[in-house]
């Protein structure tokens, strides 16, 4: 009987180790933009969204590259790249809702017709 308990204990330990080894540490990612402050991407907010449903491959490496740190412009996003793949006003709030991602007090833009 004692040998059976040891075997069961060992199986439980191995199962718990395998479960914890497969766990992923989900954290926020901060992006520095050239002229519009920092953008904080929350994995926690996005992970349960319909279409993602705890599937990392829904975004990585298709929408977001895991290697390197490519620069993505607003023009790129307006063409459906990076955040613009979902933030198009249909799947998620549109890119024009700037303050939802860019948490800064003041952003200065240069406009040809009127100046800054």
């Amino acid at each position: 009987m004692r040998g059976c308990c040891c075997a069961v204990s060992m199986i439980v330990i191995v199962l718990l180790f395998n479960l914890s080894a497969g766990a992923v540490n989900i954290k926020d990612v901060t992006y520095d933009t050239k002229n519009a402050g920092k953008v904080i991407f929350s994995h926690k907010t996005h992970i349960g969204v319909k279409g993602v449903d705890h599937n990392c491959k829904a975004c990585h490496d298709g929408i977001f590259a895991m290697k390197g740190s490519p620069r993505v412009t607003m023009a790129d996003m307006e063409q459906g790249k990076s955040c613009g793949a979902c933030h198009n006003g249909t799947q998620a709030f549109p890119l024009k809702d700037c303050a939802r991602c860019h948490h800064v007090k003041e952003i200065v833009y240069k406009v040809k017709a009127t100046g800054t």
Side-chain angles (χ1 to χ4, degrees):
M1 182 75 168
R2 184 178 172 132
C4 182
C5 288
C6 288
V8 170
S9 296
M10 186 58 102
I11 290 170
V12 169
I13 290 170
V14 169
L15 287 174
L16 288 174
F17 176 77
N18 286 335
L19 286 174
S20 66
V24 176
N25 184 12
I26 299 172
K27 58 184 178 180
D28 291 350
V29 179
T30 303
Y31 297 97
D32 289 313
T33 65
K34 188 174 180 182
N35 296 315
K38 292 182 179 188
V39 173
I40 300 174
F41 175 85
S42 169
H43 277 96
K44 190 178 276 187
T45 299
H46 290 83
I47 196 87
V49 173
K50 184 179 179 183
V52 177
D53 298 323
H54 296 84
N55 176 10
C56 299
K57 290 184 179 183
C59 300
H60 297 289
D61 278 311
I63 297 172
F64 296 99
M66 293 297 291
K67 294 182 181 176
S69 55
R71 285 282 185 194
V72 180
T73 65
M74 286 303 296
D76 293 332
M77 286 190 268
E78 288 167 356
Q79 294 175 3
K81 296 178 183 171
S82 187
C83 303
C86 297
H87 289 279
N88 53 22
T90 303
Q91 288 178 266
F93 65 83
L95 293 171
K96 67 182 179 180
D97 290 353
C98 307
R100 293 188 71 174
C101 296
H102 295 272
H103 300 274
V104 296
K105 291 182 180 180
E106 184 177 315
I107 300 172
V108 178
Y109 292 99
K110 293 181 182 179
V111 180
K112 284 184 180 181
T114 59
T116 55

